[in-house]
Amino acid sequence: MAFWIQLPLPVRLAVLSLVGVIAGGFVNWAIYAWATFRVPVSPWSRVPAGMAARHWFTRLPVVGWWARAAETPQQLAAARERLTRLGYEVPPEWTPRMPFWLRPMAIELALGFALPWLYWYETQAGLVLPAGVPQAAVAAAHPTWLHWMFVGHALLLVLMTIATFIDFDEQIIPDWVTIPGTLLALGMASVSLHTFLPIPLTANGVMRLEPCTFSAPWPVGKKWGSGYGLAVGLAMWSGWCFALSTRVLILRRGWKKAVVYFFAILRRDAMTKWLGLIWLMGLVVVVMVWNIGTTHWEGLFTALVGMSVGGGTIWAVRLVASLAMGEEAMGFGDVTLMAMIGGIVGWQATGAAFFIAPLTSIFIVLITFLATGQRMTPFGPYLCAGTVITVLYWPTVWQAAILPALLLGPVFLMIMVGSLVAMGVLLGIWRAIKMRLLAA
């Protein structure tokens, strides 16, 4: 870290720009490799019949896409033929609104710009630091902290980009994105507490900066470092692993048979043994970090709380909305996505991102419609956009939204539960109205 910080700033920015472009290439590969259903027109599809083999330079980031622009007509023909074989009716005039190579090239260019800009924003200008302090000077006084935080946010940006575009393409967020992302978040938090955003704490008229841990803005209680805290940490880890498993409940023959069927299906699923191995290894790691204690345990516990609150909030909304509407309201990928986000930014920022997410919908829907003609947009991109806004405007979000809500204490929790119940009632009323209109 010290060697990197001592490099001239222009050199660091240039290196990060190159890293961003390369990361964009990885993002493009992952968007199509991790998708459940490979789209017919993709930058990683085979060369259309009748065309010469691609040269090595067509695999280079950004510039390689210019060399592949001539493949567009052949790609469209191959896509039309494949969709026809799959039984879809494809009109002869069907074409996407933009060439297949434009989106991946734009992703690589965007990340090539975003990573150095985010680095300057967080580590040099210090704009994630509280308003009212000399941000650039304070940033220079906390280089290690802000660099750790940047690494976490850069990783999150790459993972959210993959999740966003796969969700755009097929309304699914694969576990290949969220499981490794959550594990990396827990690991980074265990190594350094400074992966979390800074908050101002004032005592005796003196302000100091502290990481936004699980208990912020209140002091950390001793019980969280005791056996009680360990038990809670193990429970949160176990809950996340269980949430990823296959959970099929068949109630046709009563609850007794339902339990038998539940464990039989769970046991036969090929994913169960891998999740079981991850669970056991995680239990050992959690206990080891708890034994080490100090900031390592505080960091891991903060990430576990963020993971649980982020995923649990979306899970609760999904459950209530599904029961009220009589159909699945949100995909489970949104749950695992928010758990990953919570593990990196903490539960306070995750809660703010959840409420900011719907405000981004108009902009995202408009851009999506203009680019692809698609009118419906999944919820995952909103969550990612809400997270980006929360991080970039963290001083304002903390001071104007999060802190006043947290100071309400138990009242805030009651408001949240009441809002969830109200949402269920309103959706239930809307379902009844819709069924009555359809019946008429």
Side-chain angles (χ1 to χ4, degrees):
M1 185 77 74
F3 171 77
W4 169 259
I5 295 174
Q6 290 173 0
L7 291 174
L9 180 59
V11 173
R12 282 178 275 166
L13 295 178
V15 171
L16 286 173
S17 182
L18 179 60
V19 170
V21 170
I22 295 173
F26 169 74
V27 167
N28 284 323
W29 171 83
I31 287 171
Y32 298 97
W34 294 349
T36 303
F37 305 101
R38 303 281 183 91
V39 293
V41 179
S42 83
W44 306 103
S45 58
R46 294 180 179 178
V47 179
M51 290 197 66
R54 297 187 183 107
H55 294 285
W56 64 269
F57 56 81
T58 61
R59 293 297 186 187
L60 293 176
V62 182
V63 295
W65 297 110
W66 292 105
R68 299 181 61 182
E71 295 182 13
T72 299
Q74 289 84 352
Q75 288 278 2
L76 295 178
R80 192 178 295 112
E81 179 184 352
R82 180 176 177 184
L83 290 175
T84 303
R85 288 200 309 268
L86 294 174
Y88 295 98
E89 294 184 6
V90 183
E93 66 275 11
W94 175 82
T95 57
R97 295 197 175 191
M98 60 182 184
F100 80 97
W101 52 268
L102 184 58
R103 188 180 82 175
M105 186 179 70
I107 289 173
E108 292 169 0
L109 286 171
L111 285 177
F113 169 80
L115 287 194
W117 181 84
L118 182 65
Y119 178 82
W120 170 85
Y121 187 92
E122 293 190 346
T123 68
Q124 305 303 304
L127 294 178
V128 292
L129 296 170
V133 302
Q135 293 170 316
V138 175
H142 297 84
T144 303
W145 179 352
L146 297 183
H147 277 75
W148 267 106
M149 189 176 61
F150 163 75
V151 171
H153 292 166
L155 172 66
L156 181 61
L157 178 62
V158 169
L159 293 173
M160 289 195 305
T161 304
I162 298 171
T164 293
F165 285 100
I166 293 180
D167 213 9
F168 275 141
D169 290 341
E170 54 185 31
Q171 288 74 55
I172 293 174
I173 299 176
D175 291 339
W176 282 105
V177 179
T178 55
I179 292 179
T182 305
L183 295 177
L184 285 171
L186 298 177
M188 288 180 61
S190 302
V191 173
S192 175
L193 188 64
H194 290 138
T195 56
F196 299 106
L197 288 156
I199 59 170
L201 294 178
T202 304
N204 299 323
V206 178
M207 188 187 74
R208 71 180 190 278
L209 296 180
E210 294 287 342
C212 188
T213 59
F214 68 95
S215 60
W218 305 286
V220 178
K222 292 183 179 180
K223 66 177 181 179
W224 301 113
S226 65
Y228 175 81
L230 174 62
V232 173
L234 292 174
M236 290 188 291
W237 168 253
S238 300
W240 179 74
C241 292
F242 175 75
L244 295 174
S245 63
T246 302
R247 303 170 312 283
V248 179
L249 198 61
I250 303 174
L251 297 173
R252 291 194 300 267
R253 297 187 180 181
W255 282 98
K256 187 176 181 179
K257 283 289 186 180
V259 173
V260 175
Y261 293 152
F262 177 86
F263 284 103
I265 295 172
L266 186 63
R267 186 175 61 254
R268 293 176 182 175
D269 186 9
M271 187 66 178
T272 300
K273 62 180 180 180
W274 295 109
L275 282 175
L277 180 61
I278 292 174
W279 174 64
L280 291 174
M281 293 175 63
L283 292 179
V284 174
V285 172
V286 170
V287 173
M288 289 174 58
V289 176
W290 175 78
N291 274 316
I292 296 172
T294 64
T295 58
H296 298 287
W297 171 244
E298 189 177 357
L300 176 58
F301 195 82
T302 297
L304 287 169
V305 172
M307 175 192 76
S308 301
V309 172
T313 301
I314 302 297
W315 201 349
V317 171
R318 178 176 183 263
L319 179 62
V320 171
S322 298
L323 290 174
M325 299 176 65
E327 60 185 15
E328 185 174 287
M330 298 173 66
F332 196 77
D334 296 324
V335 177
T336 57
L337 173 67
M338 209 58 175
M340 177 188 74
I341 292 172
I344 293 179
V345 301
W347 72 270
Q348 300 93 333
T350 303
F354 174 73
F355 285 102
I356 293 173
L359 303 178
T360 68
S361 60
I362 296 176
F363 176 77
I364 294 176
V365 168
L366 179 61
I367 296 298
T368 304
F369 176 72
L370 293 176
T372 67
Q374 182 179 341
R375 296 179 181 272
M376 297 183 63
T377 306
F379 197 56
Y382 305 157
L383 295 174
C384 294
T387 302
V388 171
I389 292 173
T390 300
V391 170
L392 294 182
Y393 294 94
W394 174 246
T396 301
V397 171
W398 170 261
Q399 195 66 36
I402 298 178
L403 188 58
L406 294 180
L407 293 179
L408 292 174
V411 177
F412 175 68
L413 181 60
M414 294 172 61
I415 293 174
M416 293 294 293
V417 174
S419 300
L420 194 61
V421 172
M423 182 194 71
V425 172
L426 290 174
L427 289 176
I429 294 173
W430 170 244
R431 178 191 178 193
I433 294 172
K434 186 169 66 173
M435 292 180 65
R436 186 175 292 274
L437 290 174
L438 290 175

